[in-house]
Amino acid sequence: MGSQGGFGQSKEFLELVKSIGESRSKSEEDRIILREIETLKRRIVEPDIPKRKMKEYIIRLVYVEMLGHDASFGYIQAVKMTHDDSLLLKRTGYLAVTLFLNEDHDLIILIVNTIQKDLKSDNYLVVCAALGAVCRLINEETIPAVLPQVVELLGHQKEAVRKKAVMALHRFYQKSPSTVSHLISNFRKKLCDSDPGVMGATLCPLFDLVTVDVKSYKDLVVSFVSILKQVVERRLPKSYDYHQMPAPFIQIKLLKILGLLGNGDKHASEQMYTVLGDLMRKCDASTNIGNAILYECICCISSIYPNPKLLEAAAEVISKFLKSDNHNLKYMGIDALGRLIKLSPDAAEQHQLAVIDCLEDPDDTLKRKTFELLQKMTKSSNVEVIVDRMIDYMISINDFHYKTEIASRCVELAEQFAPSNHWFILTMNKVFEHAGDLVNIKVAHNLMRLIAEGFGEDDDTADSQLRSSAVESYLRIVTEPKLPSAFLQVICWVLGEYGTADGKYSASYITGKLCDIAEAYSSDETVKAYAITALMKIYAIEIAAGRRLDILPECQTLIEELAASHSTDLQQRAYELQAVVGLDARAIESAMPSDASCEDIEIDVTLPFLDSFVQQSLHNGAQPYIPEDERSRAIDISNFSNQGHRESSTHGLKFEAYEMPKLPVPSRPPPPVSHVSTELVSIPEPSYSRETQFSPTNPPVSSSDAELKLRLDGVQKKWGKPTYPSTSSSSSGYSSSPANGASQMESAATSTSTSRPGETYKDLKKAEVEISPEKQKLAASLFGGSTRSEKRIGTTTHRASKGGGHSTEKSSVLKPSAASTTKANIPPQPLPDLLDLGEPARLSMVAPLTDPFMQLEGLLDQKESGSSGTCAVTDGSNKEPDIVSLYSDLHMDEQSSQSTLNPLAPSESNSSNLRRTISGGLAQATKGPNLKEALEKDALVRQVGVNPTTQNPNLFKDLLG
Amino acid sequence: MIHFVLLVSRQGKVRLTKWYSPYSQKERTKVIRELTGLILTRGPKLCNFVEWRGYRVVYKRYASLYFCMCIDQDDNELEVLEIIHHYVETLDRYFGSVCELDLIFNFHKAYYILDELLLAGELQEPSKKIVARLIAGQDSLVEAAKEEANSISNIIAQATK
């Protein structure tokens, strides 16, 4: 056990951790850490630091780095530590480098050699440590250096090594698919590994592969289905069970892959139907993990070729999720509903009230998910309600990231489903007004184009109506303070183009407004540029129409001011304006034709009008133009091109060892060299050498100059030093049999039934009673369509109740049978997973014994012995609410059995080291049968000096307690 | 895929961080600041998920410690919630009724356990037993090494006497 022997660090380090624990502010913490950094900087460079000391320094560096400070001065020490022979130090070294370095760090190159060596180690723990580092540190450039060894390790006898090798290959695939493309078949092979852990790990790369290329993996559908079936039938070793579900994480991975494979493929999907049906039926909806699997099933069902029966089952699960009190389940339900409505659009209808509840929930996460769902449900009939809601929400939040997202969603929906031009303009105005700086500037450009081009149909009156309504609304909005830049740009542009088009507003009125904008936002050059160009357009239109030009004095001053601006762009615009104003009507007509913003400007990139000029220059002896790519090629050729080409093709680092040097006397092979330093000084080591083929003395250095090369291939050879004896005998409990396919998996598990009484949903009918009229209206407008709202209210509520009744009926049919099977199959002994006592079913299994230690604890800790309530309980010394009851919402109805929650006889506790504690008031008291440990820990802590009751009471609470 | 794992106390003190996607030290600090602000303020009965910069962060509170994992949009949130619980159970098994102090003083051990559980941002070992066995294997080696070191130093001490 880990900590019982003391924390194993020096006093100094404990002091540091303690003072960090007691610091009251971030700045105090920073001060402490800065002081620590100074100490470490000084210490770490001292000569001859004992290794154990150095190990602690490195752990302290990790600590410093973890708290967000820079520890780069010590990275090199961590790298050095990976070279150490002792696994203890090596492991620390690897831990530190994987935490310190990103894959693009310069020091990585120093570690590659060590990793290469360690991958060949005969101690599997060393190999594991190295593989862990491979996953984190090897980058695209260094993959070739370790790839062959990693592939070799796929056949290692230890399953832990095989598993990590698979993960490492997966990582390589993610980083650079081309380097491992020839090895992909290995993943298929490993799917049949005899160890379920390796098989499970293989699912990760296969998922990625299938995502990219579905077609070439269709043949695996049968295998995946059969694996899933075996898992569901509990034929994996019991140790893979998690909260009484058989290997749930593997199930979820498989379901994800099947969802991809069955997408739009009827044949493949048909193979899955049975196992999916089984899974949905058997899955235990009372645990969190069971719900995770159910959710994944729904995702799979909605992805594959639809099957009405499964869809029905999925809808049922969704309605359970939505009706749950648990927010997490509601969230998953909303998400699942969003997937399902693609296939059955009316699936949402029976849940409309639940959806609206979620929409009005104070929980932001839930709300956002619901908006996602609404977006998927949007039709032209309900777009107005939905977008209005979204905008209201957008205005209310401050999170820029999400504001941007929801703004662009609004724009997208409005563009797609807008019922009328007028509404569209108004909506866009609102979006721009509140999130103008956040939306992509393209949206602004789209809006301008839309106003210019109209909605596509050749209806000029509609278009001009759209424009004048836009102009009108903009003139109204422009007076408001602090509009975002993008919006002002749109306003200026539209006013310039169409401000005077319908004759409602005079040119001087519009120009006045434009001047106001330029003045009010004088720091924004883009807006000013838009404004002055708009002015120019209006003057041009006026002149072209033959009206007398009347430049307002304020416009005059603006133009003059901009003509003297520091920005050349603004200056140019101002001068152009002055020039345009001086032209006559005819010239303006051709220079700036009115309403020509939509006409394409044709550009001839060959610039034909320059041809004669070019000809003339050539004639006068100028050099002909050579395009850039030809020019560089020419230079290449003129250089010694061969070399250049070769270099570029072998670009990158070379990690293979140099070739063996050729010796003048072939019968005497040179000994491999272990260190560069020993290379030059020839040290005879005859007695140590284990390599028998060596000649006792080294050949003289001068005999071959090839020997002076740095040779990496000798590094892993062992010279005198003894390496680890193979330790596998002590810990290897099982030798793996040859991979014979997944069908050979042991069927260790007995076929205990998974089903447990499903939750009852008492509030099913409640919904009908308490619906407020506003909600009904909202529901009707969301789900029914605005035009028929009155009619719909009646029918929809009716339908909702019908749906509700239907599912109650179903669940009540289901329940008794499920309950009976559970009763019959209650295992003779409670399973070790008792941490999760929040779950009602498991709670009931635990016999209400009394724990002898509990009473002892009660004596020790008087003030906490009394209370034994549930989540609401807070203990006296503790100011904060106790959130120990993690599943509080689940175990509401189990209050009665919770008063004695610490049960299990001591004999049982020996078999499982898990502590069984739960409810709030008992948190402290229930260190359970490990009382001695707890006391020791407490004593140690007091010795360390952290005072539990005053400083940091939370430290002393068990995490799971 | 899991992008990072974060353990913070209720007061916002960092207890453990593990990054599976590249983040610079500066970004890390920012991420931690943003997330603690987001998560620590959430009420008790809300979802265990938050949206954050286009990712999902799944968190769960154990006593005064928050375990957070950042995942992609299309990952299964409930599953990740269970991965967190799985990790805590494994810690519990290792430390024997784990409490925050264990993690504070033995954070490197918490890292070793996490490394056996997650690799490259994916769950590598769903079986608690096997993780426990691997860690125990490593620890026994460590113990052996310690004893060896002690005996050597004893010999040296006696020789130099």
Side-chain angles (χ1 to χ4, degrees), chain A residues 91 163 288 296 328 363 880 886 937, chain B residues 47-49 61 76 82 101-102 125 138:
Chain A
R91 199 165 69 129
K163 183 179 68 192
N288 204 15
E296 206 56 58
N328 290 344
D363 187 350
E880 51 158 307
L886 306 156
K937 208 181 268 181
Chain B
C47 290
N48 288 81
F49 326 123
R61 181 176 169 165
N76 184 337
E82 287 309 293
L101 265 188
D102 288 320
E125 183 52 70
Q138 292 172 8

mmCIF file with all atom_site columns, all heavy atoms in Angstrom, chain A residues 91 163 288 296 328 363 880 886 937, chain B residues 47-49 61 76 82 101-102 125 138:
data_model
loop_
_atom_site.group_PDB
_atom_site.id
_atom_site.type_symbol
_atom_site.label_atom_id
_atom_site.label_alt_id
_atom_site.label_comp_id
_atom_site.label_asym_id
_atom_site.label_entity_id
_atom_site.label_seq_id
_atom_site.pdbx_PDB_ins_code
_atom_site.Cartn_x
_atom_site.Cartn_y
_atom_site.Cartn_z
_atom_site.occupancy
_atom_site.B_iso_or_equiv
_atom_site.pdbx_formal_charge
_atom_site.auth_seq_id
_atom_site.auth_comp_id
_atom_site.auth_asym_id
_atom_site.auth_atom_id
_atom_site.pdbx_PDB_model_num
ATOM 1   N N   . ARG A 1 91  ? 12.157  5.478  -13.999 1.00 0.00 ? 91  ARG A N   1
ATOM 2   C CA  . ARG A 1 91  ? 10.724  5.736  -14.038 1.00 0.00 ? 91  ARG A CA  1
ATOM 3   C C   . ARG A 1 91  ? 10.452  7.188  -13.666 1.00 0.00 ? 91  ARG A C   1
ATOM 4   O O   . ARG A 1 91  ? 9.638   7.858  -14.283 1.00 0.00 ? 91  ARG A O   1
ATOM 5   C CB  . ARG A 1 91  ? 10.026  4.794  -13.071 1.00 0.00 ? 91  ARG A CB  1
ATOM 6   C CG  . ARG A 1 91  ? 8.571   4.621  -13.324 1.00 0.00 ? 91  ARG A CG  1
ATOM 7   C CD  . ARG A 1 91  ? 8.066   3.416  -12.576 1.00 0.00 ? 91  ARG A CD  1
ATOM 8   N NE  . ARG A 1 91  ? 8.076   3.636  -11.142 1.00 0.00 ? 91  ARG A NE  1
ATOM 9   C CZ  . ARG A 1 91  ? 7.005   3.408  -10.350 1.00 0.00 ? 91  ARG A CZ  1
ATOM 10  N NH1 . ARG A 1 91  ? 5.895   2.982  -10.876 1.00 0.00 ? 91  ARG A NH1 1
ATOM 11  N NH2 . ARG A 1 91  ? 7.081   3.604  -9.068  1.00 0.00 ? 91  ARG A NH2 1
ATOM 12  N N   . LYS A 1 163 ? -0.130  -4.246 -25.265 1.00 0.00 ? 163 LYS A N   1
ATOM 13  C CA  . LYS A 1 163 ? -1.170  -3.222 -25.219 1.00 0.00 ? 163 LYS A CA  1
ATOM 14  C C   . LYS A 1 163 ? -0.571  -1.834 -25.451 1.00 0.00 ? 163 LYS A C   1
ATOM 15  O O   . LYS A 1 163 ? -1.072  -1.045 -26.250 1.00 0.00 ? 163 LYS A O   1
ATOM 16  C CB  . LYS A 1 163 ? -1.821  -3.302 -23.841 1.00 0.00 ? 163 LYS A CB  1
ATOM 17  C CG  . LYS A 1 163 ? -2.954  -2.404 -23.602 1.00 0.00 ? 163 LYS A CG  1
ATOM 18  C CD  . LYS A 1 163 ? -3.468  -2.640 -22.197 1.00 0.00 ? 163 LYS A CD  1
ATOM 19  C CE  . LYS A 1 163 ? -2.461  -2.175 -21.174 1.00 0.00 ? 163 LYS A CE  1
ATOM 20  N NZ  . LYS A 1 163 ? -2.757  -2.615 -19.803 1.00 0.00 ? 163 LYS A NZ  1
ATOM 21  N N   . ASN A 1 288 ? -24.829 4.627  -13.790 1.00 0.00 ? 288 ASN A N   1
ATOM 22  C CA  . ASN A 1 288 ? -24.340 5.622  -14.719 1.00 0.00 ? 288 ASN A CA  1
ATOM 23  C C   . ASN A 1 288 ? -23.721 4.969  -15.939 1.00 0.00 ? 288 ASN A C   1
ATOM 24  O O   . ASN A 1 288 ? -23.943 5.371  -17.081 1.00 0.00 ? 288 ASN A O   1
ATOM 25  C CB  . ASN A 1 288 ? -23.297 6.471  -13.990 1.00 0.00 ? 288 ASN A CB  1
ATOM 26  C CG  . ASN A 1 288 ? -23.161 7.809  -14.616 1.00 0.00 ? 288 ASN A CG  1
ATOM 27  O OD1 . ASN A 1 288 ? -24.005 8.209  -15.405 1.00 0.00 ? 288 ASN A OD1 1
ATOM 28  N ND2 . ASN A 1 288 ? -22.091 8.490  -14.307 1.00 0.00 ? 288 ASN A ND2 1
ATOM 29  N N   . GLU A 1 296 ? -24.823 5.216  -25.967 1.00 0.00 ? 296 GLU A N   1
ATOM 30  C CA  . GLU A 1 296 ? -24.004 4.843  -27.114 1.00 0.00 ? 296 GLU A CA  1
ATOM 31  C C   . GLU A 1 296 ? -24.812 3.961  -28.069 1.00 0.00 ? 296 GLU A C   1
ATOM 32  O O   . GLU A 1 296 ? -24.655 4.061  -29.287 1.00 0.00 ? 296 GLU A O   1
ATOM 33  C CB  . GLU A 1 296 ? -22.756 4.118  -26.619 1.00 0.00 ? 296 GLU A CB  1
ATOM 34  C CG  . GLU A 1 296 ? -21.570 4.209  -27.536 1.00 0.00 ? 296 GLU A CG  1
ATOM 35  C CD  . GLU A 1 296 ? -21.157 5.628  -27.866 1.00 0.00 ? 296 GLU A CD  1
ATOM 36  O OE1 . GLU A 1 296 ? -20.862 6.373  -26.929 1.00 0.00 ? 296 GLU A OE1 1
ATOM 37  O OE2 . GLU A 1 296 ? -21.125 5.999  -29.052 1.00 0.00 ? 296 GLU A OE2 1
ATOM 38  N N   . ASN A 1 328 ? -27.531 15.154 -15.770 1.00 0.00 ? 328 ASN A N   1
ATOM 39  C CA  . ASN A 1 328 ? -26.669 14.497 -16.744 1.00 0.00 ? 328 ASN A CA  1
ATOM 40  C C   . ASN A 1 328 ? -27.489 13.681 -17.729 1.00 0.00 ? 328 ASN A C   1
ATOM 41  O O   . ASN A 1 328 ? -27.227 13.695 -18.922 1.00 0.00 ? 328 ASN A O   1
ATOM 42  C CB  . ASN A 1 328 ? -25.694 13.556 -16.040 1.00 0.00 ? 328 ASN A CB  1
ATOM 43  C CG  . ASN A 1 328 ? -24.663 14.309 -15.264 1.00 0.00 ? 328 ASN A CG  1
ATOM 44  O OD1 . ASN A 1 328 ? -24.496 15.507 -15.492 1.00 0.00 ? 328 ASN A OD1 1
ATOM 45  N ND2 . ASN A 1 328 ? -23.989 13.639 -14.372 1.00 0.00 ? 328 ASN A ND2 1
ATOM 46  N N   . ASP A 1 363 ? -29.328 25.673 -15.723 1.00 0.00 ? 363 ASP A N   1
ATOM 47  C CA  . ASP A 1 363 ? -28.033 25.090 -16.071 1.00 0.00 ? 363 ASP A CA  1
ATOM 48  C C   . ASP A 1 363 ? -27.669 25.447 -17.514 1.00 0.00 ? 363 ASP A C   1
ATOM 49  O O   . ASP A 1 363 ? -28.345 25.045 -18.454 1.00 0.00 ? 363 ASP A O   1
ATOM 50  C CB  . ASP A 1 363 ? -28.119 23.575 -15.902 1.00 0.00 ? 363 ASP A CB  1
ATOM 51  C CG  . ASP A 1 363 ? -26.776 22.920 -16.075 1.00 0.00 ? 363 ASP A CG  1
ATOM 52  O OD1 . ASP A 1 363 ? -25.834 23.604 -16.505 1.00 0.00 ? 363 ASP A OD1 1
ATOM 53  O OD2 . ASP A 1 363 ? -26.678 21.720 -15.770 1.00 0.00 ? 363 ASP A OD2 1
ATOM 54  N N   . GLU A 1 880 ? -18.207 24.334 4.655   1.00 0.00 ? 880 GLU A N   1
ATOM 55  C CA  . GLU A 1 880 ? -18.762 24.133 3.315   1.00 0.00 ? 880 GLU A CA  1
ATOM 56  C C   . GLU A 1 880 ? -19.746 22.980 3.286   1.00 0.00 ? 880 GLU A C   1
ATOM 57  O O   . GLU A 1 880 ? -19.660 22.062 4.087   1.00 0.00 ? 880 GLU A O   1
ATOM 58  C CB  . GLU A 1 880 ? -17.632 23.833 2.366   1.00 0.00 ? 880 GLU A CB  1
ATOM 59  C CG  . GLU A 1 880 ? -16.790 22.719 2.921   1.00 0.00 ? 880 GLU A CG  1
ATOM 60  C CD  . GLU A 1 880 ? -16.026 22.058 1.834   1.00 0.00 ? 880 GLU A CD  1
ATOM 61  O OE1 . GLU A 1 880 ? -16.633 21.652 0.856   1.00 0.00 ? 880 GLU A OE1 1
ATOM 62  O OE2 . GLU A 1 880 ? -14.837 21.972 2.003   1.00 0.00 ? 880 GLU A OE2 1
ATOM 63  N N   . LEU A 1 886 ? -22.318 11.784 -3.927  1.00 0.00 ? 886 LEU A N   1
ATOM 64  C CA  . LEU A 1 886 ? -22.159 12.135 -5.337  1.00 0.00 ? 886 LEU A CA  1
ATOM 65  C C   . LEU A 1 886 ? -23.392 11.830 -6.130  1.00 0.00 ? 886 LEU A C   1
ATOM 66  O O   . LEU A 1 886 ? -23.750 12.473 -7.074  1.00 0.00 ? 886 LEU A O   1
ATOM 67  C CB  . LEU A 1 886 ? -21.005 11.337 -5.891  1.00 0.00 ? 886 LEU A CB  1
ATOM 68  C CG  . LEU A 1 886 ? -19.788 11.558 -5.041  1.00 0.00 ? 886 LEU A CG  1
ATOM 69  C CD1 . LEU A 1 886 ? -18.844 10.425 -5.158  1.00 0.00 ? 886 LEU A CD1 1
ATOM 70  C CD2 . LEU A 1 886 ? -19.153 12.850 -5.480  1.00 0.00 ? 886 LEU A CD2 1
ATOM 71  N N   . LYS A 1 937 ? -2.346  7.638  9.383   1.00 0.00 ? 937 LYS A N   1
ATOM 72  C CA  . LYS A 1 937 ? -2.268  8.740  8.429   1.00 0.00 ? 937 LYS A CA  1
ATOM 73  C C   . LYS A 1 937 ? -2.462  10.062 9.146   1.00 0.00 ? 937 LYS A C   1
ATOM 74  O O   . LYS A 1 937 ? -1.732  11.022 8.931   1.00 0.00 ? 937 LYS A O   1
ATOM 75  C CB  . LYS A 1 937 ? -3.356  8.559  7.369   1.00 0.00 ? 937 LYS A CB  1
ATOM 76  C CG  . LYS A 1 937 ? -3.003  9.172  6.054   1.00 0.00 ? 937 LYS A CG  1
ATOM 77  C CD  . LYS A 1 937 ? -4.120  8.980  5.086   1.00 0.00 ? 937 LYS A CD  1
ATOM 78  C CE  . LYS A 1 937 ? -3.955  7.732  4.269   1.00 0.00 ? 937 LYS A CE  1
ATOM 79  N NZ  . LYS A 1 937 ? -5.041  7.575  3.303   1.00 0.00 ? 937 LYS A NZ  1
ATOM 80  N N   . CYS B 2 47  ? -25.506 19.668 -14.419 1.00 0.00 ? 47  CYS B N   1
ATOM 81  C CA  . CYS B 2 47  ? -24.790 18.650 -15.188 1.00 0.00 ? 47  CYS B CA  1
ATOM 82  C C   . CYS B 2 47  ? -23.334 18.582 -14.749 1.00 0.00 ? 47  CYS B C   1
ATOM 83  O O   . CYS B 2 47  ? -22.773 19.570 -14.309 1.00 0.00 ? 47  CYS B O   1
ATOM 84  C CB  . CYS B 2 47  ? -24.744 19.009 -16.657 1.00 0.00 ? 47  CYS B CB  1
ATOM 85  S SG  . CYS B 2 47  ? -26.257 18.927 -17.527 1.00 0.00 ? 47  CYS B SG  1
ATOM 86  N N   . ASN B 2 48  ? -22.725 17.443 -14.978 1.00 0.00 ? 48  ASN B N   1
ATOM 87  C CA  . ASN B 2 48  ? -21.296 17.319 -14.733 1.00 0.00 ? 48  ASN B CA  1
ATOM 88  C C   . ASN B 2 48  ? -20.479 17.676 -15.966 1.00 0.00 ? 48  ASN B C   1
ATOM 89  O O   . ASN B 2 48  ? -19.320 17.319 -16.069 1.00 0.00 ? 48  ASN B O   1
ATOM 90  C CB  . ASN B 2 48  ? -20.962 15.895 -14.305 1.00 0.00 ? 48  ASN B CB  1
ATOM 91  C CG  . ASN B 2 48  ? -21.447 15.598 -12.915 1.00 0.00 ? 48  ASN B CG  1
ATOM 92  O OD1 . ASN B 2 48  ? -22.612 15.290 -12.717 1.00 0.00 ? 48  ASN B OD1 1
ATOM 93  N ND2 . ASN B 2 48  ? -20.571 15.751 -11.956 1.00 0.00 ? 48  ASN B ND2 1
ATOM 94  N N   . PHE B 2 49  ? -21.107 18.352 -16.908 1.00 0.00 ? 49  PHE B N   1
ATOM 95  C CA  . PHE B 2 49  ? -20.402 18.693 -18.128 1.00 0.00 ? 49  PHE B CA  1
ATOM 96  C C   . PHE B 2 49  ? -20.461 20.202 -18.333 1.00 0.00 ? 49  PHE B C   1
ATOM 97  O O   . PHE B 2 49  ? -21.458 20.833 -17.995 1.00 0.00 ? 49  PHE B O   1
ATOM 98  C CB  . PHE B 2 49  ? -21.038 18.024 -19.338 1.00 0.00 ? 49  PHE B CB  1
ATOM 99  C CG  . PHE B 2 49  ? -21.608 16.669 -19.063 1.00 0.00 ? 49  PHE B CG  1
ATOM 100 C CD1 . PHE B 2 49  ? -22.939 16.387 -19.307 1.00 0.00 ? 49  PHE B CD1 1
ATOM 101 C CD2 . PHE B 2 49  ? -20.808 15.674 -18.527 1.00 0.00 ? 49  PHE B CD2 1
ATOM 102 C CE1 . PHE B 2 49  ? -23.464 15.137 -19.036 1.00 0.00 ? 49  PHE B CE1 1
ATOM 103 C CE2 . PHE B 2 49  ? -21.323 14.431 -18.257 1.00 0.00 ? 49  PHE B CE2 1
ATOM 104 C CZ  . PHE B 2 49  ? -22.647 14.148 -18.509 1.00 0.00 ? 49  PHE B CZ  1
ATOM 105 N N   . ARG B 2 61  ? -16.902 15.947 -8.579  1.00 0.00 ? 61  ARG B N   1
ATOM 106 C CA  . ARG B 2 61  ? -16.345 16.359 -7.307  1.00 0.00 ? 61  ARG B CA  1
ATOM 107 C C   . ARG B 2 61  ? -16.286 15.188 -6.340  1.00 0.00 ? 61  ARG B C   1
ATOM 108 O O   . ARG B 2 61  ? -17.264 14.471 -6.154  1.00 0.00 ? 61  ARG B O   1
ATOM 109 C CB  . ARG B 2 61  ? -17.212 17.463 -6.708  1.00 0.00 ? 61  ARG B CB  1
ATOM 110 C CG  . ARG B 2 61  ? -16.675 17.951 -5.400  1.00 0.00 ? 61  ARG B CG  1
ATOM 111 C CD  . ARG B 2 61  ? -17.487 19.100 -4.893  1.00 0.00 ? 61  ARG B CD  1
ATOM 112 N NE  . ARG B 2 61  ? -17.085 19.352 -3.526  1.00 0.00 ? 61  ARG B NE  1
ATOM 113 C CZ  . ARG B 2 61  ? -17.373 20.445 -2.877  1.00 0.00 ? 61  ARG B CZ  1
ATOM 114 N NH1 . ARG B 2 61  ? -18.049 21.391 -3.461  1.00 0.00 ? 61  ARG B NH1 1
ATOM 115 N NH2 . ARG B 2 61  ? -16.976 20.612 -1.649  1.00 0.00 ? 61  ARG B NH2 1
ATOM 116 N N   . ASN B 2 76  ? -18.453 10.404 -25.576 1.00 0.00 ? 76  ASN B N   1
ATOM 117 C CA  . ASN B 2 76  ? -19.565 10.035 -24.702 1.00 0.00 ? 76  ASN B CA  1
ATOM 118 C C   . ASN B 2 76  ? -19.281 10.564 -23.288 1.00 0.00 ? 76  ASN B C   1
ATOM 119 O O   . ASN B 2 76  ? -18.407 10.061 -22.589 1.00 0.00 ? 76  ASN B O   1
ATOM 120 C CB  . ASN B 2 76  ? -19.682 8.509  -24.714 1.00 0.00 ? 76  ASN B CB  1
ATOM 121 C CG  . ASN B 2 76  ? -20.850 7.997  -23.925 1.00 0.00 ? 76  ASN B CG  1
ATOM 122 O OD1 . ASN B 2 76  ? -21.345 8.684  -23.027 1.00 0.00 ? 76  ASN B OD1 1
ATOM 123 N ND2 . ASN B 2 76  ? -21.308 6.811  -24.244 1.00 0.00 ? 76  ASN B ND2 1
ATOM 124 N N   . GLU B 2 82  ? -17.441 8.043  -15.997 1.00 0.00 ? 82  GLU B N   1
ATOM 125 C CA  . GLU B 2 82  ? -17.097 6.762  -15.374 1.00 0.00 ? 82  GLU B CA  1
ATOM 126 C C   . GLU B 2 82  ? -15.596 6.514  -15.399 1.00 0.00 ? 82  GLU B C   1
ATOM 127 O O   . GLU B 2 82  ? -15.068 5.850  -14.526 1.00 0.00 ? 82  GLU B O   1
ATOM 128 C CB  . GLU B 2 82  ? -17.840 5.626  -16.076 1.00 0.00 ? 82  GLU B CB  1
ATOM 129 C CG  . GLU B 2 82  ? -19.310 5.594  -15.742 1.00 0.00 ? 82  GLU B CG  1
ATOM 130 C CD  . GLU B 2 82  ? -19.576 5.630  -14.245 1.00 0.00 ? 82  GLU B CD  1
ATOM 131 O OE1 . GLU B 2 82  ? -19.236 4.668  -13.565 1.00 0.00 ? 82  GLU B OE1 1
ATOM 132 O OE2 . GLU B 2 82  ? -20.128 6.637  -13.764 1.00 0.00 ? 82  GLU B OE2 1
ATOM 133 N N   . LEU B 2 101 ? -4.966  14.344 0.856   1.00 0.00 ? 101 LEU B N   1
ATOM 134 C CA  . LEU B 2 101 ? -3.571  14.415 1.308   1.00 0.00 ? 101 LEU B CA  1
ATOM 135 C C   . LEU B 2 101 ? -2.683  13.414 0.591   1.00 0.00 ? 101 LEU B C   1
ATOM 136 O O   . LEU B 2 101 ? -1.551  13.704 0.267   1.00 0.00 ? 101 LEU B O   1
ATOM 137 C CB  . LEU B 2 101 ? -3.524  14.125 2.807   1.00 0.00 ? 101 LEU B CB  1
ATOM 138 C CG  . LEU B 2 101 ? -3.529  15.333 3.723   1.00 0.00 ? 101 LEU B CG  1
ATOM 139 C CD1 . LEU B 2 101 ? -3.281  14.871 5.123   1.00 0.00 ? 101 LEU B CD1 1
ATOM 140 C CD2 . LEU B 2 101 ? -2.477  16.326 3.302   1.00 0.00 ? 101 LEU B CD2 1
ATOM 141 N N   . ASP B 2 102 ? -3.250  12.222 0.356   1.00 0.00 ? 102 ASP B N   1
ATOM 142 C CA  . ASP B 2 102 ? -2.468  11.214 -0.352  1.00 0.00 ? 102 ASP B CA  1
ATOM 143 C C   . ASP B 2 102 ? -1.999  11.752 -1.681  1.00 0.00 ? 102 ASP B C   1
ATOM 144 O O   . ASP B 2 102 ? -0.859  11.556 -2.093  1.00 0.00 ? 102 ASP B O   1
ATOM 145 C CB  . ASP B 2 102 ? -3.328  9.969  -0.586  1.00 0.00 ? 102 ASP B CB  1
ATOM 146 C CG  . ASP B 2 102 ? -3.571  9.199  0.693   1.00 0.00 ? 102 ASP B CG  1
ATOM 147 O OD1 . ASP B 2 102 ? -2.634  9.101  1.479   1.00 0.00 ? 102 ASP B OD1 1
ATOM 148 O OD2 . ASP B 2 102 ? -4.696  8.732  0.886   1.00 0.00 ? 102 ASP B OD2 1
ATOM 149 N N   . GLU B 2 125 ? -6.559  0.684  -20.134 1.00 0.00 ? 125 GLU B N   1
ATOM 150 C CA  . GLU B 2 125 ? -6.780  -0.537 -19.371 1.00 0.00 ? 125 GLU B CA  1
ATOM 151 C C   . GLU B 2 125 ? -8.062  -0.428 -18.561 1.00 0.00 ? 125 GLU B C   1
ATOM 152 O O   . GLU B 2 125 ? -8.124  0.309  -17.586 1.00 0.00 ? 125 GLU B O   1
ATOM 153 C CB  . GLU B 2 125 ? -5.601  -0.808 -18.451 1.00 0.00 ? 125 GLU B CB  1
ATOM 154 C CG  . GLU B 2 125 ? -5.721  -2.095 -17.676 1.00 0.00 ? 125 GLU B CG  1
ATOM 155 C CD  . GLU B 2 125 ? -6.028  -3.284 -18.575 1.00 0.00 ? 125 GLU B CD  1
ATOM 156 O OE1 . GLU B 2 125 ? -5.144  -3.678 -19.338 1.00 0.00 ? 125 GLU B OE1 1
ATOM 157 O OE2 . GLU B 2 125 ? -7.155  -3.808 -18.526 1.00 0.00 ? 125 GLU B OE2 1
ATOM 158 N N   . GLN B 2 138 ? 5.725   -2.567 -10.253 1.00 0.00 ? 138 GLN B N   1
ATOM 159 C CA  . GLN B 2 138 ? 6.712   -1.491 -10.261 1.00 0.00 ? 138 GLN B CA  1
ATOM 160 C C   . GLN B 2 138 ? 7.163   -1.177 -8.840  1.00 0.00 ? 138 GLN B C   1
ATOM 161 O O   . GLN B 2 138 ? 8.354   -1.000 -8.580  1.00 0.00 ? 138 GLN B O   1
ATOM 162 C CB  . GLN B 2 138 ? 6.120   -0.241 -10.906 1.00 0.00 ? 138 GLN B CB  1
ATOM 163 C CG  . GLN B 2 138 ? 5.874   -0.426 -12.379 1.00 0.00 ? 138 GLN B CG  1
ATOM 164 C CD  . GLN B 2 138 ? 5.113   0.729  -12.974 1.00 0.00 ? 138 GLN B CD  1
ATOM 165 O OE1 . GLN B 2 138 ? 4.901   1.736  -12.317 1.00 0.00 ? 138 GLN B OE1 1
ATOM 166 N NE2 . GLN B 2 138 ? 4.717   0.591  -14.218 1.00 0.00 ? 138 GLN B NE2 1
#
